[in-house]
Amino acid sequence: MKEKIRIKDIAQKAEVSVGTVDRVIHKRPNVSKSAREKVEKALKEMNYQPNVYASALAYNRSYNFYVILPKHGSEAYWEEIENGAMKANEQRRDFSINVKILYYERFDSKSFKATANECIDTNPDGVVLVPTDLDTTKVMTDKLHQLNIPFILLDSYMPDLKPLSFFGQDSFQSGYFAAKMLMLIARDEKRIMLMKQTKNGQVASKQQANREVGFRHYMEDHFPDVEIVELDLQQDKEKKHWDAKLENFFTENPDIHHCITLTSKAHIVADFLLKTNRRDIQIMGYDVVDKNKRDIKEGSISFLIAQHAFQQGFSCIDTLFRAVVLKKKVQPVNYMPIELLSKENIDFYRRMQV
């Protein structure tokens, strides 16, 4: 067993005081250049590895991390993000980590600004945020940089904002992959349906917009003659309104047997197909929320693409913990795996690995 290296041993080798060694190890000021060089040389020669966990606990302080998300309902990608973030909070409770979640109205810059200001006013130790448009988000992130508050981006990667880290899928590749998988089972079709959900004419996120670019890019390259018929189930409408639109759509388009949505809401169409006993129509979508999992087992969803939302939420908080509390370097860009799930393998999907 390797003998434990004491600060006293390092001080003797470097010929400085124990206090000087402690200041160098913890990157504190008031150390002369020559003393710092002596200590750093001794640390290297002795292969000293500090116990960062013990050091963090010794500070005996609390840390407040904020997560800023769009307002959402249940059975959504964002709900899994929240659950993952709170799981990380639970696992780091010994370090007095406090995770708080704030919400803003999607597509509403005033709401985002108000939520951003509410967060900044608390002087947080770190922030996880889902950006809105670049210019509006930059106003917030510029303030965070000025205050030396690290932040992590979710959903949309905007490198110009210079985040500490990013977690999410490569959206273009994800959409490209979705089209490729869909056409393995729909290659003989002349028309397919693309279900979208919008509010005020906008899709819910830049991530979804980029997925659609990748999706259409694949279709144009490999199936240019297949017509993509869009159906918009507006987010602010009730379920009965969606059912009426779906009934009308499939009545008017009896030749469409394959559908896709680039969101977590495949279950809206899948539930309708099961209720109306349309067994010759399948939908493909994203995210292993409970309703999607149920419908893939019932057979109305053909495939789901997993983007590990729970893992993203967990990893964002864990990354802030490692950077802020443990003072460790972290990976700047973290693309999540693109995994295809079916009825046969969905029970083996693991939503988190810690």
Side-chain angles (χ1 to χ4, degrees):
M1 183 176 179
K2 186 177 178 180
E3 185 178 350
K4 183 178 179 181
I5 300 173
R6 302 172 301 175
I7 290 182
K8 180 179 178 180
D9 301 325
I10 301 167
Q12 288 178 347
K13 185 173 182 62
E15 298 181 342
V16 297
S17 70
V18 169
T20 298
V21 174
D22 184 74
R23 286 194 292 274
V24 172
I25 289 175
H26 294 98
K27 296 181 171 57
R28 298 192 184 108
N30 302 321
V31 180
S32 68
K33 182 179 178 182
S34 61
R36 185 177 300 278
E37 288 174 349
K38 287 180 181 179
V39 173
E40 289 175 347
K41 180 181 178 183
L43 291 173
K44 185 175 181 180
E45 291 177 352
M46 300 174 76
N47 193 27
Y48 174 74
Q49 300 295 325
N51 186 335
V52 290
Y53 284 87
S55 297
L57 283 170
Y59 277 109
N60 194 30
R61 59 156 292 190
S62 60
Y63 301 86
N64 294 315
F65 297 148
Y66 278 75
V67 181
I68 299 178
L69 299 176
K71 288 183 180 178
H72 58 84
S74 61
E75 299 295 336
Y77 162 74
W78 309 115
E79 188 175 41
E80 283 284 281
I81 294 282
E82 287 187 35
N83 292 337
M86 299 316 294
K87 181 65 176 180
N89 184 34
E90 178 187 328
Q91 290 207 357
R92 303 303 185 190
R93 66 177 65 177
D94 289 346
F95 295 87
S96 298
I97 302 298
N98 302 307
V99 174
K100 300 178 182 180
I101 299 176
L102 299 177
Y103 304 96
Y104 67 92
E105 292 283 355
R106 180 70 88 169
F107 312 121
D108 187 334
S109 60
K110 289 183 179 179
S111 176
F112 181 86
K113 290 175 183 176
T115 303
N117 289 334
E118 179 184 352
C119 173
I120 291 172
D121 286 346
T122 68
N123 193 29
D125 296 289
V127 178
V128 178
L129 68 101
V130 175
T132 180
D133 65 272
L134 178 62
D135 291 339
T136 303
T137 308
K138 190 173 186 299
V139 174
M140 178 189 186
T141 57
D142 282 350
K143 290 180 181 177
L144 293 174
H145 281 302
Q146 290 169 10
L147 296 169
N148 200 29
I149 298 172
F151 65 91
I152 293 175
L153 293 182
L154 262 174
D155 186 57
S156 301
Y157 183 38
M158 299 180 177
D160 290 348
L161 301 181
K162 297 180 174 59
L164 170 71
S165 189
F166 163 76
F167 284 87
Q169 281 188 340
D170 182 322
S171 303
F172 178 90
Q173 289 296 340
S174 178
Y176 193 92
F177 175 78
K180 186 174 184 178
M181 294 302 101
L182 176 66
M183 297 315 293
L184 289 177
I185 57 175
R187 64 183 310 107
D188 295 327
E189 300 296 315
K190 302 299 181 185
R191 305 168 80 225
I192 60 174
M193 183 257 272
L194 172 62
M195 190 275 273
K196 302 171 74 169
Q197 279 202 297
T198 65
K199 187 175 182 181
N200 300 324
Q202 292 181 286
V203 296
S205 70
K206 183 179 177 183
Q207 182 190 59
Q208 289 177 38
N210 287 342
R211 284 178 188 163
E212 185 174 343
V213 172
F215 177 83
R216 290 184 179 276
H217 189 82
Y218 179 88
M219 295 300 293
E220 288 169 7
D221 283 351
H222 300 278
F223 293 89
D225 296 329
V226 174
E227 182 184 359
I228 301 171
V229 185
E230 290 190 12
L231 176 66
D232 181 10
L233 301 181
Q234 295 175 10
Q235 288 184 328
D236 54 353
K237 299 295 184 179
E238 297 180 357
K239 187 175 185 298
K240 62 181 180 181
H241 175 82
W242 297 338
D243 284 350
K245 287 198 72 171
L246 287 164
E247 179 64 47
N248 185 60
F249 180 87
F250 287 116
T251 299
E252 293 183 354
N253 298 278
D255 59 325
I256 288 183
H257 302 99
H258 291 279
C259 318
I260 187 168
T261 179
L262 304 175
T263 75
S264 61
K265 299 296 185 178
H267 59 82
I268 293 175
V269 181
D271 287 350
F272 172 81
L273 297 176
L274 289 170
K275 183 170 62 177
T276 57
N277 200 31
R278 285 178 163 90
R279 296 285 177 173
D280 62 333
I281 302 171
Q282 295 260 302
I283 184 167
M284 176 178 174
Y286 277 74
D287 300 323
V288 190
V289 297
D290 288 342
K291 287 183 180 179
N292 283 346
K293 187 173 181 180
R294 178 199 64 202
D295 288 340
I296 201 172
K297 289 186 174 183
E298 290 288 336
S300 55
I301 293 178
S302 52
F303 295 114
L304 288 171
I305 294 177
Q307 57 175 329
H308 294 267
F310 187 98
Q311 182 68 45
Q312 288 182 56
F314 183 95
S315 297
C316 284
I317 298 302
D318 189 60
T319 297
L320 283 178
F321 166 75
R322 288 185 287 116
V324 174
V325 181
L326 302 185
K327 313 298 183 186
K328 288 188 172 184
K329 290 185 179 180
V330 297
Q331 184 74 21
V333 179
N334 302 271
Y335 285 122
M336 306 306 291
I338 302 172
E339 295 184 347
L340 190 70
L341 303 176
S342 67
K343 179 179 180 179
E344 292 74 22
N345 70 350
I346 195 163
D347 283 335
F348 303 105
Y349 171 74
R350 298 291 181 265
R351 74 177 188 176
M352 70 171 296
Q353 297 173 358
V354 294

